[in-house]
Amino acid sequence: MTDGFLDIIMKVDGATVGGRVSSRYLLSDFLREKARAGGVHVACGQGVCGACTVAVDEVPVRACLMLAVQADGATVQTIASLPALEGDRELESGLTRLQRAFREHHALQCGYCTPGLLVSTALFLAQIQAPSRAVILDHLNGHLCRCSGYANILAAIESVLR
């Protein structure tokens, strides 16, 4: 690292992606620019809104707060890996259970926050089998949606649990 740059490699949505990056290069920038993962949205750039949430080795991470070099050697899953994160082998109309629920309950409007919210919720539901409404609301606390409000998002998540 004599020039301030490092060679990194990671698996992103099943594809191996590498590059030479500055030690300060953000994971969100690496995913959007090098891996061409357009579903990684950056809104606040401070880890508050959750729009950039991805799975790094099956752990939810705010990609705008993580350095790309920290994900060197990791498996990163974005919204493009949602079927794998949800364990959906057979998609109905090309959509996962969560995506269908969000559509059916009108849980999105502009959709900017939706990719991060879906990734985070898929990981959440994989860990907690029967969360109470209070636990779901606590999970949603890390995501900002300025368009749809949270009633429909909550209803969508609860419908998946039924």
Side-chain angles (χ1 to χ4, degrees), residues 89-141:
R89 303 251 188 293
E90 297 180 29
L91 302 180
E92 182 181 310
S93 304
L95 300 175
T96 68
R97 292 172 301 143
L98 273 174
Q99 288 171 318
R100 284 193 312 273
F102 270 58
R103 182 183 66 190
E104 291 166 8
H105 291 274
H106 308 287
L108 58 107
Q109 287 185 19
C110 82
Y112 201 82
C113 67
T114 306
L117 183 58
L118 288 172
V119 167
S120 176
T121 300
L123 292 166
F124 168 74
L125 293 177
Q127 292 179 340
I128 300 176
Q129 299 306 313
S132 66
R133 178 171 270 214
V135 172
I136 296 170
L137 287 170
D138 187 54
H139 159 70
L140 292 175
N141 193 32

Side-chain angles (χ1 to χ4, degrees), residues 22 40-42 45 57 62 65 80 89-90 102 107 114 121 126 132 143 151 156 159:
S22 162
V40 178
H41 295 167
V42 178
D57 293 332
R62 303 289 201 236
L65 293 180
R89 303 251 188 293
E90 297 180 29
F102 270 58
T114 306
T121 300
S132 66
H143 295 275
S159 76

